Amino acid sequence: MGGEGVIPVPDPSQAPTDPGAAVDESRLEELITEAQIVLPVELSALANRCASALGLKSALIHLVDLQQWLLVPLDESLEPLPVDASQAGWAYRTVSPRVTDDGDGVVIWVPLIDGAERLGVLAVRTATLDGPRMRRSRMLADLLAMVVTSKRAYSDWIAARTRTATMQLPAEMLRAFLPPRTIGSKQCVSTAVLEPAYDVGGDAFDHAVVKQVLHTMILDGMGHDLASGLAISVAMAGARNARRSGADLPDLVGSVDRALAQWLPDHFCTGVVCRLDADTGELRWINCGHPPPLLIRAERVLDGALDSPPQPPIGLYLELAPAARQVHKTTLEPGDRVLLYTDGVIDARDANGAEFGLDRFTDFIIRASAAGQIPAEVLRLLIHAILDYQHNNLRDDATILLFEWHPQHP
Protein backbone atom coordinates (compact mmCIF):
# COMPACT_ATOMS: atom_id res chain seq x y z
CA MET A 1 0.00 0.00 0.00
CA GLY A 2 2.91 2.35 0.58
CA GLY A 3 3.40 3.10 -3.14
CA GLU A 4 -0.16 4.23 -3.79
CA GLY A 5 -0.88 7.91 -4.25
CA VAL A 6 -2.93 9.61 -1.58
CA ILE A 7 -5.90 11.60 -2.87
CA PRO A 8 -7.42 14.50 -0.90
CA VAL A 9 -10.70 13.63 0.78
CA PRO A 10 -13.53 15.71 -0.68
CA ASP A 11 -16.05 17.59 1.41
CA PRO A 12 -19.43 15.87 0.82
CA SER A 13 -21.34 19.08 1.59
CA GLN A 14 -19.62 20.92 -1.29
CA ALA A 15 -19.96 18.21 -3.93
CA PRO A 16 -22.47 18.29 -6.79
CA THR A 17 -25.06 15.59 -7.23
CA ASP A 18 -23.84 12.68 -9.35
CA PRO A 19 -26.71 11.10 -11.36
CA GLY A 20 -24.36 8.34 -12.56
CA ALA A 21 -24.10 6.81 -9.10
CA ALA A 22 -27.77 6.24 -8.35
CA VAL A 23 -28.81 4.50 -5.16
CA ASP A 24 -31.08 1.46 -5.43
CA GLU A 25 -33.14 2.23 -2.31
CA SER A 26 -35.39 -0.83 -2.48
CA ARG A 27 -32.39 -3.13 -2.87
CA LEU A 28 -30.59 -1.36 -0.03
CA GLU A 29 -33.64 -1.83 2.19
CA GLU A 30 -33.60 -5.56 1.44
CA LEU A 31 -29.92 -5.77 2.31
CA ILE A 32 -30.36 -3.95 5.64
CA THR A 33 -33.05 -6.45 6.54
CA GLU A 34 -30.81 -9.31 5.41
CA ALA A 35 -28.01 -8.02 7.62
CA GLN A 36 -30.03 -8.92 10.71
CA ILE A 37 -29.89 -12.65 9.95
CA VAL A 38 -26.78 -13.06 7.79
CA LEU A 39 -24.12 -15.44 9.07
CA PRO A 40 -20.86 -13.78 10.13
CA VAL A 41 -18.93 -15.71 7.47
CA GLU A 42 -21.20 -14.13 4.83
CA LEU A 43 -20.40 -10.53 5.82
CA SER A 44 -17.92 -10.02 2.98
CA ALA A 45 -20.53 -10.87 0.36
CA LEU A 46 -23.12 -8.70 2.11
CA ALA A 47 -20.70 -5.74 2.14
CA ASN A 48 -20.22 -6.03 -1.62
CA ARG A 49 -23.96 -6.19 -2.28
CA CYS A 50 -24.54 -3.11 -0.12
CA ALA A 51 -21.76 -1.26 -1.95
CA SER A 52 -23.34 -2.09 -5.31
CA ALA A 53 -26.72 -0.80 -4.12
CA LEU A 54 -25.01 2.47 -3.20
CA GLY A 55 -23.40 2.90 -6.62
CA LEU A 56 -19.95 1.77 -5.44
CA LYS A 57 -17.76 -1.00 -6.88
CA SER A 58 -17.05 -3.10 -3.79
CA ALA A 59 -16.42 -3.03 -0.05
CA LEU A 60 -14.16 -5.20 2.10
CA ILE A 61 -14.24 -5.36 5.90
CA HIS A 62 -10.92 -5.45 7.80
CA LEU A 63 -11.02 -6.05 11.57
CA VAL A 64 -8.14 -5.26 13.89
CA ASP A 65 -6.49 -8.22 15.59
CA LEU A 66 -6.49 -8.71 19.35
CA GLN A 67 -3.18 -6.90 19.86
CA GLN A 68 -3.85 -4.15 17.27
CA TRP A 69 -0.89 -5.05 15.06
CA LEU A 70 -2.85 -6.12 11.97
CA LEU A 71 -6.02 -5.32 10.03
CA VAL A 72 -7.43 -8.72 9.08
CA PRO A 73 -9.76 -8.96 6.03
CA LEU A 74 -12.88 -11.05 6.50
CA ASP A 75 -12.15 -12.50 3.07
CA GLU A 76 -10.00 -15.47 4.11
CA SER A 77 -8.14 -15.51 0.77
CA LEU A 78 -6.50 -12.15 1.47
CA GLU A 79 -3.55 -11.26 3.69
CA PRO A 80 -3.71 -8.89 6.69
CA LEU A 81 -2.41 -5.32 6.48
CA PRO A 82 -0.04 -3.83 9.10
CA VAL A 83 -1.59 -1.15 11.29
CA ASP A 84 1.69 0.76 11.48
CA ALA A 85 2.69 0.65 7.80
CA SER A 86 -0.32 0.88 5.49
CA GLN A 87 -2.89 3.40 4.30
CA ALA A 88 -5.55 1.23 5.94
CA GLY A 89 -3.60 1.47 9.19
CA TRP A 90 -3.38 5.25 8.85
CA ALA A 91 -7.20 5.41 8.70
CA TYR A 92 -7.43 3.14 11.76
CA ARG A 93 -4.84 5.04 13.80
CA THR A 94 -6.24 8.50 13.10
CA VAL A 95 -9.95 7.53 12.85
CA SER A 96 -10.07 9.49 9.58
CA PRO A 97 -10.80 8.32 6.00
CA ARG A 98 -7.85 7.83 3.67
CA VAL A 99 -8.16 7.81 -0.14
CA THR A 100 -5.64 6.14 -2.45
CA ASP A 101 -5.37 5.49 -6.19
CA ASP A 102 -5.08 1.79 -7.06
CA GLY A 103 -4.70 2.26 -10.84
CA ASP A 104 -8.27 1.19 -11.58
CA GLY A 105 -10.14 3.83 -9.63
CA VAL A 106 -9.80 4.80 -6.00
CA VAL A 107 -9.92 3.04 -2.64
CA ILE A 108 -11.51 4.82 0.30
CA TRP A 109 -10.31 3.48 3.65
CA VAL A 110 -13.07 4.33 6.13
CA PRO A 111 -12.72 3.63 9.88
CA LEU A 112 -15.18 1.12 11.34
CA ILE A 113 -16.29 2.56 14.68
CA ASP A 114 -18.68 1.25 17.34
CA GLY A 115 -19.31 4.29 19.52
CA ALA A 116 -15.77 5.08 20.68
CA GLU A 117 -14.36 1.62 19.90
CA ARG A 118 -12.18 1.15 16.80
CA LEU A 119 -13.16 -2.11 15.11
CA GLY A 120 -11.07 -1.82 11.93
CA VAL A 121 -11.51 -0.25 8.50
CA LEU A 122 -13.70 -0.66 5.43
CA ALA A 123 -12.01 -0.64 2.00
CA VAL A 124 -14.48 0.89 -0.47
CA ARG A 125 -13.58 0.77 -4.17
CA THR A 126 -15.18 3.16 -6.63
CA ALA A 127 -14.43 4.38 -10.16
CA THR A 128 -14.23 8.05 -9.18
CA LEU A 129 -14.40 10.07 -6.00
CA ASP A 130 -16.85 12.84 -5.18
CA GLY A 131 -18.93 14.06 -2.26
CA PRO A 132 -21.88 11.66 -2.68
CA ARG A 133 -19.62 8.62 -2.95
CA MET A 134 -17.64 9.68 0.10
CA ARG A 135 -20.86 10.20 2.06
CA ARG A 136 -22.20 6.79 0.99
CA SER A 137 -18.92 5.14 1.95
CA ARG A 138 -19.20 6.58 5.43
CA MET A 139 -22.82 5.50 5.69
CA LEU A 140 -21.88 1.98 4.63
CA ALA A 141 -19.07 1.88 7.20
CA ASP A 142 -21.49 2.97 9.94
CA LEU A 143 -23.99 0.27 8.92
CA LEU A 144 -21.40 -2.50 8.73
CA ALA A 145 -19.83 -1.47 12.05
CA MET A 146 -23.20 -2.03 13.74
CA VAL A 147 -23.60 -5.37 11.96
CA VAL A 148 -20.11 -6.54 12.96
CA THR A 149 -20.71 -5.47 16.56
CA SER A 150 -23.92 -7.48 16.75
CA LYS A 151 -22.37 -10.56 15.13
CA ARG A 152 -19.07 -10.70 17.02
CA ALA A 153 -20.90 -11.03 20.34
CA TYR A 154 -21.68 -14.64 19.45
CA SER A 155 -19.41 -15.49 16.52
CA ASP A 156 -16.47 -17.78 17.24
CA TRP A 157 -15.45 -17.32 13.61
CA ILE A 158 -14.91 -13.57 13.99
CA ALA A 159 -13.04 -14.12 17.27
CA ALA A 160 -10.79 -16.73 15.67
CA ARG A 161 -10.24 -14.58 12.56
CA THR A 162 -8.82 -11.74 14.66
CA ARG A 163 -6.41 -13.94 16.65
CA THR A 164 -2.82 -14.60 15.64
CA ALA A 165 -1.96 -17.20 18.31
CA THR A 166 -3.61 -19.90 20.40
CA MET A 167 -5.28 -18.52 23.52
CA GLN A 168 -4.67 -20.24 26.83
CA LEU A 169 -7.64 -21.28 28.96
CA PRO A 170 -7.20 -18.69 31.78
CA ALA A 171 -7.05 -15.91 29.19
CA GLU A 172 -10.09 -17.29 27.35
CA MET A 173 -12.10 -17.31 30.55
CA LEU A 174 -11.02 -13.84 31.62
CA ARG A 175 -11.51 -12.21 28.23
CA ALA A 176 -15.10 -13.44 28.19
CA PHE A 177 -15.69 -10.91 30.99
CA LEU A 178 -13.84 -7.95 29.49
CA PRO A 179 -15.79 -5.02 28.01
CA PRO A 180 -14.82 -3.30 24.73
CA ARG A 181 -11.38 -1.65 24.80
CA THR A 182 -12.88 1.83 24.46
CA ILE A 183 -16.20 3.29 25.60
CA GLY A 184 -17.50 6.78 26.22
CA SER A 185 -19.42 9.81 25.09
CA LYS A 186 -18.68 13.40 24.12
CA GLN A 187 -18.02 14.19 27.79
CA CYS A 188 -15.74 11.34 28.79
CA VAL A 189 -13.85 8.50 27.16
CA SER A 190 -12.28 5.45 28.80
CA THR A 191 -9.85 3.15 26.99
CA ALA A 192 -7.76 0.19 28.13
CA VAL A 193 -5.24 -2.43 26.97
CA LEU A 194 -4.13 -5.72 28.50
CA GLU A 195 -1.12 -7.93 27.77
CA PRO A 196 0.00 -10.66 27.31
CA ALA A 197 -3.06 -10.99 25.11
CA TYR A 198 -3.15 -14.78 24.84
CA ASP A 199 -1.83 -15.86 28.22
CA VAL A 200 -3.16 -13.31 30.70
CA GLY A 201 -4.50 -14.65 33.97
CA GLY A 202 -4.19 -12.17 36.80
CA ASP A 203 -5.20 -8.71 35.49
CA ALA A 204 -8.49 -7.24 34.31
CA PHE A 205 -10.20 -3.92 33.64
CA ASP A 206 -13.80 -2.80 33.47
CA HIS A 207 -15.59 0.37 32.44
CA ALA A 208 -19.20 1.34 31.86
CA VAL A 209 -21.35 4.45 31.46
CA VAL A 210 -24.55 4.74 33.50
CA LYS A 211 -26.45 7.92 32.59
CA GLN A 212 -23.93 10.71 33.27
CA VAL A 213 -21.53 8.60 35.37
CA LEU A 214 -18.41 6.81 34.08
CA HIS A 215 -17.49 3.72 36.11
CA THR A 216 -13.93 2.36 35.81
CA MET A 217 -12.02 -0.41 37.57
CA ILE A 218 -8.66 -2.13 37.33
CA LEU A 219 -7.74 -5.38 39.12
CA ASP A 220 -4.51 -7.29 39.71
CA GLY A 221 -5.00 -10.78 41.08
CA MET A 222 -2.76 -13.05 43.08
CA GLY A 223 -1.01 -15.55 40.80
CA HIS A 224 -1.27 -16.15 37.06
CA ASP A 225 -3.12 -19.44 36.72
CA LEU A 226 -6.68 -20.63 36.17
CA ALA A 227 -7.57 -20.09 39.83
CA SER A 228 -6.32 -16.49 39.62
CA GLY A 229 -8.39 -15.92 36.49
CA LEU A 230 -11.41 -17.39 38.27
CA ALA A 231 -10.91 -15.06 41.24
CA ILE A 232 -10.68 -12.02 38.96
CA SER A 233 -13.79 -13.18 37.09
CA VAL A 234 -15.70 -13.48 40.38
CA ALA A 235 -14.50 -10.01 41.38
CA MET A 236 -15.67 -8.48 38.09
CA ALA A 237 -19.03 -10.24 38.27
CA GLY A 238 -19.50 -9.11 41.87
CA ALA A 239 -18.68 -5.50 40.99
CA ARG A 240 -21.06 -5.47 38.02
CA ASN A 241 -23.83 -7.09 40.02
CA ALA A 242 -23.51 -4.45 42.73
CA ARG A 243 -23.22 -1.60 40.22
CA ARG A 244 -26.31 -2.71 38.33
CA SER A 245 -28.19 -2.88 41.62
CA GLY A 246 -27.39 0.77 42.30
CA ALA A 247 -24.72 0.21 44.98
CA ASP A 248 -22.46 3.08 45.97
CA LEU A 249 -18.68 2.65 45.93
CA PRO A 250 -18.23 1.26 49.49
CA ASP A 251 -21.08 -1.20 49.02
CA LEU A 252 -19.76 -2.23 45.61
CA VAL A 253 -16.29 -3.00 46.93
CA GLY A 254 -17.83 -4.66 49.98
CA SER A 255 -19.84 -6.95 47.71
CA VAL A 256 -16.65 -8.07 45.99
CA ASP A 257 -14.92 -8.57 49.36
CA ARG A 258 -17.75 -10.85 50.47
CA ALA A 259 -17.90 -12.72 47.15
CA LEU A 260 -14.20 -13.61 47.26
CA ALA A 261 -14.34 -14.46 50.97
CA GLN A 262 -17.28 -16.80 50.36
CA TRP A 263 -16.30 -18.50 47.11
CA LEU A 264 -12.52 -18.21 46.92
CA PRO A 265 -11.28 -17.51 50.46
CA ASP A 266 -7.64 -18.21 49.57
CA HIS A 267 -7.52 -15.57 46.82
CA PHE A 268 -7.40 -11.80 46.78
CA CYS A 269 -6.64 -8.97 44.37
CA THR A 270 -5.58 -5.36 44.49
CA GLY A 271 -7.52 -2.77 42.55
CA VAL A 272 -8.84 0.72 42.10
CA VAL A 273 -12.53 1.48 41.56
CA CYS A 274 -13.55 4.94 40.29
CA ARG A 275 -16.68 6.90 39.50
CA LEU A 276 -16.59 10.11 37.46
CA ASP A 277 -19.61 12.40 37.26
CA ALA A 278 -19.37 13.64 33.67
CA ASP A 279 -21.58 16.66 34.42
CA THR A 280 -19.59 18.06 37.35
CA GLY A 281 -16.16 16.45 37.01
CA GLU A 282 -16.32 15.00 40.53
CA LEU A 283 -14.11 11.91 40.77
CA ARG A 284 -14.60 9.43 43.62
CA TRP A 285 -12.40 6.37 44.09
CA ILE A 286 -11.38 3.58 46.45
CA ASN A 287 -7.86 2.18 46.32
CA CYS A 288 -7.52 -1.39 47.58
CA GLY A 289 -3.79 -1.97 48.02
CA HIS A 290 -3.01 -0.91 44.45
CA PRO A 291 -0.59 1.60 42.87
CA PRO A 292 -2.32 5.00 43.10
CA PRO A 293 -3.98 6.49 40.02
CA LEU A 294 -2.08 9.22 38.20
CA LEU A 295 -3.60 12.58 37.25
CA ILE A 296 -2.31 14.16 34.03
CA ARG A 297 -3.15 17.84 33.61
CA ALA A 298 -1.78 20.24 31.01
CA GLU A 299 0.72 17.63 29.77
CA ARG A 300 2.29 16.89 33.14
CA VAL A 301 1.70 14.46 35.99
CA LEU A 302 0.51 16.08 39.21
CA ASP A 303 2.63 14.22 41.76
CA GLY A 304 0.59 12.66 44.53
CA ALA A 305 -2.70 14.22 43.39
CA LEU A 306 -4.60 10.94 43.71
CA ASP A 307 -2.56 9.28 46.44
CA SER A 308 -4.47 7.92 49.44
CA PRO A 309 -3.77 5.99 52.66
CA PRO A 310 -3.36 2.25 51.99
CA GLN A 311 -6.35 -0.04 52.36
CA PRO A 312 -6.32 -3.87 52.32
CA PRO A 313 -6.65 -5.73 49.02
CA ILE A 314 -10.05 -6.97 47.91
CA GLY A 315 -10.82 -10.30 49.54
CA LEU A 316 -8.76 -9.60 52.68
CA TYR A 317 -10.68 -6.58 53.94
CA LEU A 318 -13.17 -8.45 56.12
CA GLU A 319 -10.29 -10.04 58.03
CA LEU A 320 -8.04 -7.01 58.33
CA ALA A 321 -10.29 -3.94 58.63
CA PRO A 322 -13.84 -4.12 59.97
CA ALA A 323 -14.54 -0.42 59.33
CA ALA A 324 -16.08 0.83 56.08
CA ARG A 325 -13.88 1.41 53.05
CA GLN A 326 -12.64 4.97 52.73
CA VAL A 327 -13.81 6.88 49.64
CA HIS A 328 -11.60 9.66 48.28
CA LYS A 329 -12.78 12.47 46.04
CA THR A 330 -11.52 15.35 43.96
CA THR A 331 -12.82 17.55 41.14
CA LEU A 332 -11.21 17.26 37.74
CA GLU A 333 -10.54 20.12 35.37
CA PRO A 334 -11.58 20.00 31.70
CA GLY A 335 -9.09 17.94 29.70
CA ASP A 336 -7.77 16.03 32.71
CA ARG A 337 -6.69 12.43 32.17
CA VAL A 338 -6.63 9.77 34.89
CA LEU A 339 -4.37 6.76 34.50
CA LEU A 340 -4.84 3.39 36.21
CA TYR A 341 -2.24 0.66 35.76
CA THR A 342 -0.95 -2.61 37.20
CA ASP A 343 2.61 -3.05 38.42
CA GLY A 344 3.48 -5.25 35.45
CA VAL A 345 3.59 -2.06 33.37
CA ILE A 346 6.41 -0.33 35.23
CA ASP A 347 8.16 -3.56 36.35
CA ALA A 348 8.82 -4.70 32.76
CA ARG A 349 12.58 -5.16 32.34
CA ASP A 350 14.91 -5.17 29.35
CA ALA A 351 17.67 -7.71 28.70
CA ASN A 352 19.96 -5.87 31.15
CA GLY A 353 17.38 -5.89 33.94
CA ALA A 354 16.52 -2.17 33.71
CA GLU A 355 12.88 -1.43 34.56
CA PHE A 356 10.58 0.33 32.14
CA GLY A 357 9.74 2.53 35.12
CA LEU A 358 7.08 5.04 36.06
CA ASP A 359 8.87 8.04 34.56
CA ARG A 360 9.26 6.39 31.15
CA PHE A 361 5.64 5.24 31.36
CA THR A 362 4.16 8.67 32.06
CA ASP A 363 6.55 10.48 29.71
CA PHE A 364 5.42 8.25 26.84
CA ILE A 365 1.75 9.07 27.47
CA ILE A 366 2.39 12.80 27.76
CA ARG A 367 4.46 12.91 24.56
CA ALA A 368 1.96 10.86 22.55
CA SER A 369 -0.95 12.96 23.81
CA ALA A 370 0.90 16.18 23.01
CA ALA A 371 1.43 14.86 19.48
CA GLY A 372 -2.34 14.75 19.03
CA GLN A 373 -2.90 11.00 19.39
CA ILE A 374 -6.35 9.93 20.57
CA PRO A 375 -6.38 8.07 23.94
CA ALA A 376 -6.92 4.63 22.38
CA GLU A 377 -3.96 5.15 20.06
CA VAL A 378 -1.79 6.40 22.94
CA LEU A 379 -2.35 3.14 24.81
CA ARG A 380 -1.88 1.01 21.68
CA LEU A 381 1.51 2.59 21.08
CA LEU A 382 2.43 2.40 24.77
CA ILE A 383 1.65 -1.29 25.24
CA HIS A 384 3.60 -2.07 22.07
CA ALA A 385 6.54 -0.08 23.45
CA ILE A 386 6.39 -2.10 26.68
CA LEU A 387 6.27 -5.37 24.75
CA ASP A 388 9.21 -4.27 22.63
CA TYR A 389 11.16 -3.23 25.73
CA GLN A 390 10.78 -6.74 27.12
CA HIS A 391 11.18 -8.49 23.72
CA ASN A 392 7.53 -9.65 23.68
CA ASN A 393 8.09 -11.74 26.80
CA LEU A 394 6.29 -10.06 29.69
CA ARG A 395 7.11 -11.54 33.09
CA ASP A 396 3.88 -10.18 34.54
CA ASP A 397 0.51 -9.08 33.20
CA ALA A 398 0.43 -5.42 32.16
CA THR A 399 -2.86 -3.52 32.12
CA ILE A 400 -3.48 0.18 31.54
CA LEU A 401 -6.73 2.13 31.68
CA LEU A 402 -6.93 5.81 30.75
CA PHE A 403 -9.99 8.04 31.00
CA GLU A 404 -10.39 11.72 30.25
CA TRP A 405 -13.02 14.37 30.93
CA HIS A 406 -14.22 16.92 28.38
CA PRO A 407 -17.35 18.68 29.67
CA GLN A 408 -19.83 19.94 27.09
CA HIS A 409 -20.82 23.52 27.88
CA PRO A 410 -24.05 24.98 26.45
Side-chain angles (χ1 to χ4, degrees):
M1 298 302 300
E4 295 176 347
V6 178
I7 300 173
V9 177
D11 181 356
S13 65
Q14 303 298 321
T17 302
D18 180 4
V23 175
D24 185 344
E25 291 187 1
S26 61
R27 178 60 178 148
L28 186 60
E29 181 182 12
E30 293 174 7
L31 291 169
I32 292 174
T33 302
E34 180 186 346
Q36 299 178 28
I37 58 173
V38 70
L39 293 174
V41 74
E42 299 169 338
L43 284 176
S44 288
L46 174 69
N48 279 327
R49 293 197 295 274
C50 288
S52 178
L54 287 168
L56 307 167
K57 278 188 176 181
S58 65
L60 178 61
I61 298 169
H62 295 71
L63 298 182
V64 72
D65 81 296
L66 190 61
Q67 295 177 292
Q68 301 183 86
W69 291 108
L70 301 170
L71 289 163
V72 183
L74 291 192
D75 184 337
E76 293 178 305
S77 67
L78 301 176
E79 293 297 317
L81 301 172
V83 170
D84 290 309
S86 67
Q87 301 297 343
W90 189 95
Y92 177 82
R93 298 191 312 267
T94 62
V95 197
S96 301
R98 188 76 159 174
V99 181
T100 59
D101 185 346
D102 70 349
D104 188 30
V106 298
V107 181
I108 311 169
W109 300 98
V110 190
L112 287 171
I113 307 295
D114 173 35
E117 171 82 335
R118 301 182 296 176
L119 305 177
V121 296
L122 181 69
V124 179
R125 282 179 165 77
T126 181
T128 59
L129 180 63
D130 55 20
R133 287 184 176 87
M134 175 59 71
R135 183 166 55 248
R136 292 169 194 173
S137 298
R138 286 172 165 161
M139 290 168 54
L140 182 56
D142 289 342
L143 170 64
L144 291 175
M146 289 187 286
V147 174
V148 167
T149 299
S150 69
K151 304 298 179 185
R152 70 173 182 168
Y154 62 83
S155 172
D156 285 347
W157 179 75
I158 291 180
R161 188 77 183 125
T162 54
R163 293 181 181 182
T164 60
T166 300
M167 184 167 290
Q168 301 303 308
L169 180 57
E172 191 76 65
M173 179 177 66
L174 186 57
R175 284 196 174 276
F177 277 87
L178 293 182
R181 277 187 293 259
T182 307
I183 65 166
S185 64
K186 292 181 179 179
Q187 291 182 296
C188 55
V189 172
S190 176
T191 187
V193 289
L194 186 155
E195 287 284 353
Y198 297 95
D199 197 25
V200 68
D203 281 11
F205 66 87
D206 195 19
H207 45 202
V209 176
V210 180
K211 294 184 177 178
Q212 81 283 8
V213 177
L214 172 67
H215 301 255
T216 60
M217 178 173 68
I218 196 166
L219 298 171
D220 186 353
M222 177 189 69
H224 301 90
D225 53 14
L226 186 61
S228 177
L230 179 60
I232 290 295
S233 299
V234 169
M236 292 183 69
R240 288 176 180 173
N241 180 257
R243 187 176 69 219
R244 293 164 183 172
S245 300
D248 200 3
L249 275 180
D251 293 332
L252 183 149
V253 178
S255 294
V256 182
D257 277 321
R258 291 189 293 273
L260 286 180
Q262 178 180 358
W263 299 107
L264 294 162
D266 295 330
H267 287 77
F268 64 90
C269 60
T270 67
V272 179
V273 184
C274 304
R275 288 190 177 181
L276 171 64
D277 187 318
D279 286 341
T280 66
E282 182 185 68
L283 174 66
R284 302 171 66 238
W285 76 98
I286 295 177
N287 188 335
C288 306
H290 199 79
L294 301 176
L295 178 59
I296 300 175
R297 176 177 295 163
E299 299 181 11
R300 69 184 186 93
V301 176
L302 299 188
D303 291 337
L306 303 181
D307 288 358
S308 58
Q311 299 187 57
I314 302 172
L316 296 180
Y317 187 74
L318 299 178
E319 301 177 17
L320 301 178
R325 291 275 189 182
Q326 186 176 4
V327 179
H328 304 277
K329 64 177 64 176
T330 190
T331 300
L332 300 184
E333 295 184 4
D336 278 356
R337 293 181 170 184
V338 176
L339 192 62
L340 311 179
Y341 62 96
T342 60
D343 53 14
V345 172
I346 59 175
D347 290 346
R349 297 176 182 271
D350 65 10
N352 298 318
E355 288 187 347
F356 192 82
L358 186 60
D359 289 343
R360 192 193 309 265
F361 171 54
T362 54
D363 183 65
F364 189 103
I365 289 180
I366 291 171
R367 288 178 180 274
S369 300
Q373 304 285 3
I374 62 173
E377 183 63 11
V378 171
L379 292 199
R380 187 189 76 87
L381 293 170
L382 174 58
I383 201 69
H384 288 178
I386 293 170
L387 286 168
D388 183 64
Y389 190 80
Q390 203 159 324
H391 304 288
N392 288 321
N393 185 28
L394 290 177
R395 297 177 178 84
D396 192 7
D397 300 339
T399 304
I400 315 165
L401 186 147
L402 175 69
F403 62 90
E404 60 180 12
W405 182 54
H406 292 283
Q408 301 295 301
H409 299 294

